[in-house]
PDB file of all heavy atoms in Angstrom:
ATOM      1  N   PHE A  48      31.018  31.949 -81.972  1.00  0.00           N
ATOM      2  CA  PHE A  48      30.309  30.683 -81.806  1.00  0.00           C
ATOM      3  C   PHE A  48      29.237  30.845 -80.734  1.00  0.00           C
ATOM      4  O   PHE A  48      29.461  31.442 -79.691  1.00  0.00           O
ATOM      5  CB  PHE A  48      31.323  29.601 -81.378  1.00  0.00           C
ATOM      6  CG  PHE A  48      30.708  28.265 -81.115  1.00  0.00           C
ATOM      7  CD1 PHE A  48      30.256  27.479 -82.150  1.00  0.00           C
ATOM      8  CD2 PHE A  48      30.593  27.795 -79.825  1.00  0.00           C
ATOM      9  CE1 PHE A  48      29.710  26.229 -81.910  1.00  0.00           C
ATOM     10  CE2 PHE A  48      30.050  26.554 -79.571  1.00  0.00           C
ATOM     11  CZ  PHE A  48      29.594  25.771 -80.615  1.00  0.00           C
ATOM     12  N   VAL A  49      28.040  30.343 -81.007  1.00  0.00           N
ATOM     13  CA  VAL A  49      26.919  30.467 -80.060  1.00  0.00           C
ATOM     14  C   VAL A  49      26.776  29.138 -79.325  1.00  0.00           C
ATOM     15  O   VAL A  49      26.189  28.180 -79.843  1.00  0.00           O
ATOM     16  CB  VAL A  49      25.605  30.836 -80.775  1.00  0.00           C
ATOM     17  CG1 VAL A  49      24.493  30.980 -79.757  1.00  0.00           C
ATOM     18  CG2 VAL A  49      25.780  32.127 -81.574  1.00  0.00           C
ATOM     19  N   GLU A  50      27.336  29.108 -78.125  1.00  0.00           N
ATOM     20  CA  GLU A  50      27.205  27.910 -77.303  1.00  0.00           C
ATOM     21  C   GLU A  50      25.753  27.715 -76.920  1.00  0.00           C
ATOM     22  O   GLU A  50      25.038  28.674 -76.653  1.00  0.00           O
ATOM     23  CB  GLU A  50      28.071  28.048 -76.042  1.00  0.00           C
ATOM     24  CG  GLU A  50      29.083  26.933 -75.937  1.00  0.00           C
ATOM     25  CD  GLU A  50      29.983  27.088 -74.756  1.00  0.00           C
ATOM     26  OE1 GLU A  50      30.893  27.929 -74.863  1.00  0.00           O
ATOM     27  OE2 GLU A  50      29.762  26.393 -73.765  1.00  0.00           O
ATOM     28  N   GLY A  51      25.326  26.478 -76.889  1.00  0.00           N
ATOM     29  CA  GLY A  51      23.940  26.173 -76.530  1.00  0.00           C
ATOM     30  C   GLY A  51      23.063  25.965 -77.743  1.00  0.00           C
ATOM     31  O   GLY A  51      21.961  25.420 -77.610  1.00  0.00           O
ATOM     32  N   LEU A  52      23.518  26.385 -78.927  1.00  0.00           N
ATOM     33  CA  LEU A  52      22.775  26.114 -80.142  1.00  0.00           C
ATOM     34  C   LEU A  52      23.464  25.064 -80.998  1.00  0.00           C
ATOM     35  O   LEU A  52      23.083  24.828 -82.129  1.00  0.00           O
ATOM     36  CB  LEU A  52      22.567  27.397 -80.962  1.00  0.00           C
ATOM     37  CG  LEU A  52      21.559  28.375 -80.393  1.00  0.00           C
ATOM     38  CD1 LEU A  52      21.421  29.586 -81.319  1.00  0.00           C
ATOM     39  CD2 LEU A  52      20.203  27.736 -80.169  1.00  0.00           C
ATOM     40  N   ASP A  53      24.501  24.439 -80.451  1.00  0.00           N
ATOM     41  CA  ASP A  53      25.162  23.333 -81.147  1.00  0.00           C
ATOM     42  C   ASP A  53      24.488  22.038 -80.693  1.00  0.00           C
ATOM     43  O   ASP A  53      24.516  21.681 -79.537  1.00  0.00           O
ATOM     44  CB  ASP A  53      26.664  23.322 -80.863  1.00  0.00           C
ATOM     45  CG  ASP A  53      27.022  23.442 -79.390  1.00  0.00           C
ATOM     46  OD1 ASP A  53      26.286  24.125 -78.644  1.00  0.00           O
ATOM     47  OD2 ASP A  53      28.037  22.870 -78.973  1.00  0.00           O
ATOM     48  N   TYR A  54      23.799  21.418 -81.644  1.00  0.00           N
ATOM     49  CA  TYR A  54      22.995  20.226 -81.357  1.00  0.00           C
ATOM     50  C   TYR A  54      23.421  19.077 -82.238  1.00  0.00           C
ATOM     51  O   TYR A  54      23.961  19.279 -83.333  1.00  0.00           O
ATOM     52  CB  TYR A  54      21.515  20.516 -81.622  1.00  0.00           C
ATOM     53  CG  TYR A  54      20.759  20.921 -80.387  1.00  0.00           C
ATOM     54  CD1 TYR A  54      21.008  22.146 -79.757  1.00  0.00           C
ATOM     55  CD2 TYR A  54      19.788  20.098 -79.822  1.00  0.00           C
ATOM     56  CE1 TYR A  54      20.307  22.521 -78.636  1.00  0.00           C
ATOM     57  CE2 TYR A  54      19.089  20.472 -78.698  1.00  0.00           C
ATOM     58  CZ  TYR A  54      19.355  21.673 -78.089  1.00  0.00           C
ATOM     59  OH  TYR A  54      18.663  22.045 -76.953  1.00  0.00           O
ATOM     60  N   VAL A  55      23.142  17.878 -81.754  1.00  0.00           N
ATOM     61  CA  VAL A  55      23.364  16.682 -82.551  1.00  0.00           C
ATOM     62  C   VAL A  55      22.078  15.866 -82.613  1.00  0.00           C
ATOM     63  O   VAL A  55      21.226  15.946 -81.717  1.00  0.00           O
ATOM     64  CB  VAL A  55      24.499  15.801 -81.975  1.00  0.00           C
ATOM     65  CG1 VAL A  55      25.837  16.494 -82.124  1.00  0.00           C
ATOM     66  CG2 VAL A  55      24.256  15.402 -80.542  1.00  0.00           C
ATOM     67  N   ALA A  56      21.958  15.116 -83.679  1.00  0.00           N
ATOM     68  CA  ALA A  56      20.915  14.101 -83.827  1.00  0.00           C
ATOM     69  C   ALA A  56      21.599  12.763 -83.607  1.00  0.00           C
ATOM     70  O   ALA A  56      22.646  12.490 -84.189  1.00  0.00           O
ATOM     71  CB  ALA A  56      20.282  14.173 -85.213  1.00  0.00           C
ATOM     72  N   VAL A  57      21.018  11.954 -82.746  1.00  0.00           N
ATOM     73  CA  VAL A  57      21.645  10.694 -82.373  1.00  0.00           C
ATOM     74  C   VAL A  57      20.646   9.553 -82.619  1.00  0.00           C
ATOM     75  O   VAL A  57      19.459   9.689 -82.291  1.00  0.00           O
ATOM     76  CB  VAL A  57      22.061  10.711 -80.889  1.00  0.00           C
ATOM     77  CG1 VAL A  57      22.707   9.415 -80.467  1.00  0.00           C
ATOM     78  CG2 VAL A  57      22.998  11.885 -80.608  1.00  0.00           C
ATOM     79  N   ARG A  58      21.129   8.485 -83.209  1.00  0.00           N
ATOM     80  CA  ARG A  58      20.347   7.251 -83.345  1.00  0.00           C
ATOM     81  C   ARG A  58      21.127   6.181 -82.581  1.00  0.00           C
ATOM     82  O   ARG A  58      22.249   5.841 -82.981  1.00  0.00           O
ATOM     83  CB  ARG A  58      20.170   6.865 -84.792  1.00  0.00           C
ATOM     84  CG  ARG A  58      19.411   5.526 -84.941  1.00  0.00           C
ATOM     85  CD  ARG A  58      19.081   5.204 -86.358  1.00  0.00           C
ATOM     86  NE  ARG A  58      17.856   5.928 -86.702  1.00  0.00           N
ATOM     87  CZ  ARG A  58      17.507   6.243 -87.944  1.00  0.00           C
ATOM     88  NH1 ARG A  58      18.293   5.936 -88.957  1.00  0.00           N
ATOM     89  NH2 ARG A  58      16.387   6.877 -88.189  1.00  0.00           N
ATOM     90  N   GLY A  59      20.542   5.700 -81.502  1.00  0.00           N
ATOM     91  CA  GLY A  59      21.273   4.781 -80.631  1.00  0.00           C
ATOM     92  C   GLY A  59      22.440   5.525 -80.025  1.00  0.00           C
ATOM     93  O   GLY A  59      22.282   6.571 -79.390  1.00  0.00           O
ATOM     94  N   ASP A  60      23.643   5.026 -80.270  1.00  0.00           N
ATOM     95  CA  ASP A  60      24.866   5.689 -79.767  1.00  0.00           C
ATOM     96  C   ASP A  60      25.610   6.441 -80.859  1.00  0.00           C
ATOM     97  O   ASP A  60      26.730   6.880 -80.650  1.00  0.00           O
ATOM     98  CB  ASP A  60      25.813   4.637 -79.165  1.00  0.00           C
ATOM     99  CG  ASP A  60      25.267   4.015 -77.903  1.00  0.00           C
ATOM    100  OD1 ASP A  60      24.478   4.669 -77.209  1.00  0.00           O
ATOM    101  OD2 ASP A  60      25.615   2.844 -77.626  1.00  0.00           O
TER     102      ASP A  60
END
Side-chain angles (χ1 to χ4, degrees):
F48 178 73
V49 181
E50 238 177 283
L52 287 182
D53 49 327
Y54 265 69
V55 292
V57 180
R58 177 173 278 157
D60 293 332

